[in-house]
Amino acid sequence: MVVLVICGGGNGAHVLAGIASSNPNADVRVLTLYADEAERWTKAMEGNDFVVTVNNQDKSQTILKNKPRLVTKDPALAANKADMIVFTVPAFAHRQYLDALKPHIRPGTVLVGLPGQSGFEFEVWTAWGDLAKQCSIMSFESLPWACRFTEFGRAATVIGTKENLAGAAWYGSVPPKADPTLVLQGCLGPHPVLLTRGALLGITLMATNGYIHPSILFGRWHKWDGNPVNEPPLFYNGLDEFSAQTMSSVSDEILAVASSLMKQRPQVDLTNVAHIWQWYLRVYADDIGDKTSLFTTIRTNAAYSGLTHPTTKTDDGKFVPDFKHRYLMEDIPFGLLVSKGIAEVAGVPTPTIDSVISWAQQKMGKEYIVNGKLAGKDVSSTRCPQRYGLTTVDAILGL
Ligand code: NAD
């Protein structure tokens, strides 16, 4: 029996709760600290089924009706004898869960970020201190599904399941009871296939929202004249060559960081860091119409059909870009800035990343980079390693 704790109360938490509870060998508990979610979810399940509808690739549906054993806001109850704790909440909420869980964690526990997003391990090492060194950490590049809950605490839908999901593990001094990839795979079912390999820092460097969204926003709007536009432009399928080139250069710089770190610490495997174009070809293999280049790959990705730039409407019915959207407000401090911080520790210059962040911070009203260095006053609210005092190569790799 595996004791699995799911942290969160949103879309991913609902779906994971239903799918993992279908495994008779899993004792599934949900911990949600947000507002009154635990009470509402518990009440919603009383006398009702908890239904997860899975839309399969062959257009068939699988209906699961398995409830988690417990939904609570009490970390002691949730974490009692836990083997694996899975975070399925946005990154800004991670710290709250880490602090609440810390007194109830036993050595050997596996903590999973699903997704972990950039700098997950830095946050865990800092929040849990010595305890973290006796646990293991896994992080995955995304959620396994595109999913939504349709009725809070009662029903959720899996719109699509990923074929595979890249992740990595870092092992502390007390080994887990069983191979954590196999345990998690057992709770997810056959898909997505978990591809756990390489160093955890590789997943931090491959948190692709941090490259994709800010690069496209920068490319489209950095020379904007301030005049509203008639329609929100297509975000992906309307990509221009300059934005694709920006994204590619950002990705090249991140590859250079990985390569430099592997030279500095030859025992470390960061070959899980790939160019963003390779990433697209793996993750969206069946959706891309024209695979000639990164530019054509994004423009012809059917999974992105109809998605537009985040905008707000003006009084006269036109549109201006929304620079307070999560594409900057989350993807800079919990994404690209983390890579910039790692680059600084590795001693690798990042001119394109610097240009994107310098433009973005102005639009966001934040100060991160000053004279090319991560010395701004708002670094303290990011997940870059400097914020946690992790300033050496060994420290960011957890060696
Ligand atoms: P979500 O938006 O449904 O999460 C909302 C939940 O987060 C809330 O129910 C609450 O439990 C918690 N929360 C919200 N505000 C909070 C606050 N101020 N303090 C504490 N907790 C708070 O998230 P999701 O859709 O389950 O996605 C989880 C992660 O996976 C996100 O990082 C998301 O970007 C990523 N992701 C989601 C999908 C998807 O299809 N849903 C796909 C790929 C990646």
Side-chain angles (χ1 to χ4, degrees):
M1 181 64 73
V2 55
V3 177
L4 182 81
V5 182
I6 299 165
C7 295
N11 305 305
H14 274 70
V15 167
L16 182 57
I19 292 181
S21 301
S22 313
N23 177 345
N25 293 318
D27 170 356
V28 179
R29 300 103 179 247
V30 175
L31 173 67
T32 168
L33 301 174
Y34 185 55
D36 60 350
E37 282 186 341
E39 290 93 325
R40 284 201 293 130
W41 186 332
T42 303
K43 210 164 180 348
M45 285 196 307
E46 269 169 23
N48 290 299
D49 283 333
F50 180 71
V51 183
V52 174
T53 303
V54 182
N55 287 292
N56 301 313
Q57 229 174 16
D58 62 5
K59 309 250 185 269
S60 67
Q61 281 190 335
T62 308
I63 311 281
L64 303 169
K65 292 188 179 173
N66 302 283
K67 292 181 190 177
R69 196 171 64 73
L70 174 72
V71 179
T72 179
K73 64 176 174 199
D74 180 345
L77 264 186
N80 183 30
K81 300 203 166 81
D83 300 304
M84 180 173 277
I85 297 175
V86 183
F87 280 15
T88 51
V89 272
F92 66 80
H94 287 172
R95 186 59 183 253
Q96 184 189 5
Y97 281 90
L98 289 169
D99 290 342
L101 285 163
K102 187 177 177 186
H104 313 291
I105 298 299
R106 44 181 196 166
T109 302
V110 180
L111 180 64
V112 184
L114 190 71
Q117 303 194 40
S118 294
F120 179 59
E121 64 271 40
F122 306 152
E123 188 99 63
V124 182
W125 289 331
T126 305
W128 284 5
D130 284 342
L131 174 67
K133 295 184 190 131
Q134 302 178 305
C135 295
S136 298
I137 306 172
M138 292 175 94
S139 181
F140 289 88
E141 60 183 344
S142 187
L143 258 191
W145 323 275
C147 61
R148 297 284 174 267
F149 68 78
T150 46
E151 218 182 324
F152 187 83
R154 240 176 244 178
T157 299
V158 173
I159 303 156
T161 302
K162 296 189 171 74
E163 267 306 297
N164 54 58
L165 201 63
W170 173 90
Y171 293 100
S173 59
V174 179
K177 259 181 15 192
D179 180 331
T181 302
L182 293 181
V183 171
L184 186 59
Q185 190 79 69
C187 293
L188 295 176
H191 285 105
V193 175
L194 299 177
L195 308 173
T196 311
R197 68 175 193 91
L200 204 48
L201 194 78
I203 299 302
T204 275
L205 288 169
M206 281 306 291
T208 53
N209 283 352
Y211 319 14
I212 297 171
H213 299 149
S215 298
I216 295 178
L217 287 173
F218 171 76
R220 176 65 180 77
W221 302 107
H222 76 291
K223 287 192 176 160
W224 180 48
D225 59 9
N227 289 322
V229 294
N230 291 333
E231 282 178 7
L234 284 173
F235 193 73
Y236 301 100
N237 295 164
L239 186 80
D240 57 45
E241 295 255 21
F242 177 79
S243 303
Q245 188 48 52
T246 301
M247 197 190 300
S248 187
S249 301
V250 166
S251 186
D252 285 337
E253 290 174 3
I254 287 171
L255 276 166
V257 171
S259 157
S260 164
L261 288 170
M262 282 194 288
K263 279 201 194 94
Q264 296 181 52
R265 295 292 179 277
Q267 75 273 32
V268 171
D269 176 9
L270 283 168
T271 55
N272 49 359
V273 180
H275 192 271
I276 192 73
W277 185 24
Q278 296 304 318
W279 179 85
Y280 267 111
L281 297 180
R282 170 172 65 83
V283 173
Y284 291 101
D286 299 330
D287 300 307
I288 298 162
D290 180 352
K291 297 179 179 170
T292 313
S293 63
L294 176 63
F295 172 63
T296 63
T297 291
I298 296 176
R299 278 187 72 95
T300 64
N301 185 346
Y304 285 154
S305 174
L307 296 175
T308 60
H309 274 261
T311 52
T312 48
K313 213 169 182 175
T314 60
D315 290 342
D316 53 357
K318 294 194 169 192
F319 298 89
V320 290
D322 175 10
F323 295 129
K324 297 286 173 346
H325 189 266
R326 70 182 164 84
Y327 283 2
L328 289 185
M329 298 306 278
E330 283 181 29
D331 293 334
I332 294 291
F334 295 95
L336 197 55
L337 209 67
V338 182
S339 296
K340 164 69 185 166
I342 294 166
E344 219 173 89
V345 174
V348 175
T350 52
T352 310
I353 293 177
D354 293 5
S355 303
V356 174
I357 295 175
S358 299
W359 171 82
Q361 66 182 8
Q362 221 190 341
K363 299 296 168 204
M364 297 161 69
K366 300 281 183 188
E367 184 192 75
Y368 302 121
I369 296 187
V370 180
N371 298 326
K373 292 269 170 234
L374 276 172
K377 65 178 170 48
D378 293 310
V379 168
S380 58
S381 60
T382 74
R383 288 221 301 207
C384 58
Q386 289 75 3
R387 178 247 168 128
Y388 304 100
L390 304 171
T391 53
T392 65
V393 169
D394 285 350
I396 60 172
L397 287 162
L399 297 176

